[in-house]
């Protein structure tokens, strides 16, 4: 008797939860009309670019010239002492993520 009551109670509860979970939600399968499809965005020609050095807006000709200059003379590298400190800080950050108890 208890077993049958438990089965009826569990089936009733699962049916109620199933119906209550889907009754108030509106599902939209399509994106809004104002949304531009990704296929069109991928084929769009970008006429303005940003400088990788200072972030200012460049024309395509200026951007191509800057890229050529960067390839000819790459930007200066950091001093070895600073590179070592940056590496050690990154290593410390990684170790603290793996072993949080080391920060004590």
């Amino acid at each position: 008797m208890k077993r049958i009551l438990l089965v009826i109670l569990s089936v009733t509860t699962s049916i109620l939860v199933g119906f209550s979970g889907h009754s108030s939600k509106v599902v939209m399968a399509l994106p809004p009309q104002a949304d531009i499809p990704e296929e069109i965005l991928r084929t769009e020609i970008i006429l303005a670019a940003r400088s990788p050095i200072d972030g200012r807006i460049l024309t395509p000709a200026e951007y191509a010239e800057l890229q050529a200059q960067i390839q000819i003379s790459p930007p200066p590298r950091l001093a070895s002492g600073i590179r070592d400190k940056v590496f050690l800080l990154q290593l410390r950050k990684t170790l603290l993520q793996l072993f949080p108890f080391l920060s004590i």
Side-chain angles (χ1 to χ4, degrees):
M1 183 68 175
K2 288 183 182 182
R3 205 177 246 180
I4 295 173
L5 185 61
L6 183 63
V7 169
I8 292 173
L9 182 64
S10 64
V11 169
T12 307
T13 304
S14 63
I15 290 173
L16 287 174
V17 168
F19 283 136
S20 67
H22 297 292
S23 64
S24 64
K25 294 184 181 176
V26 176
V27 178
M28 294 188 62
L30 298 174
Q33 290 291 331
D35 204 13
I36 300 172
E38 184 179 343
E39 293 82 11
I40 293 174
L41 291 175
R42 271 192 263 150
T43 59
E44 182 181 14
I45 298 172
I46 299 172
L47 298 176
R50 293 207 173 263
S51 168
I53 297 172
D54 58 3
R56 63 187 170 94
I57 296 177
L58 302 173
T59 63
E62 291 172 336
Y63 184 77
E65 182 182 333
L66 182 63
Q67 288 296 326
Q69 287 176 358
I70 289 174
Q71 287 179 356
I72 292 171
S73 61
R77 296 185 59 162
L78 290 174
S80 63
I82 295 175
R83 272 188 283 141
D84 292 340
K85 288 179 184 175
V86 168
F87 171 74
L88 289 175
L89 285 172
Q90 290 173 341
L91 181 66
R92 179 178 183 261
K93 181 180 176 183
T94 304
L95 287 175
L96 286 176
Q97 286 178 349
L98 295 174
F99 306 108
F101 54 85
L102 291 178
S103 64
I104 297 175

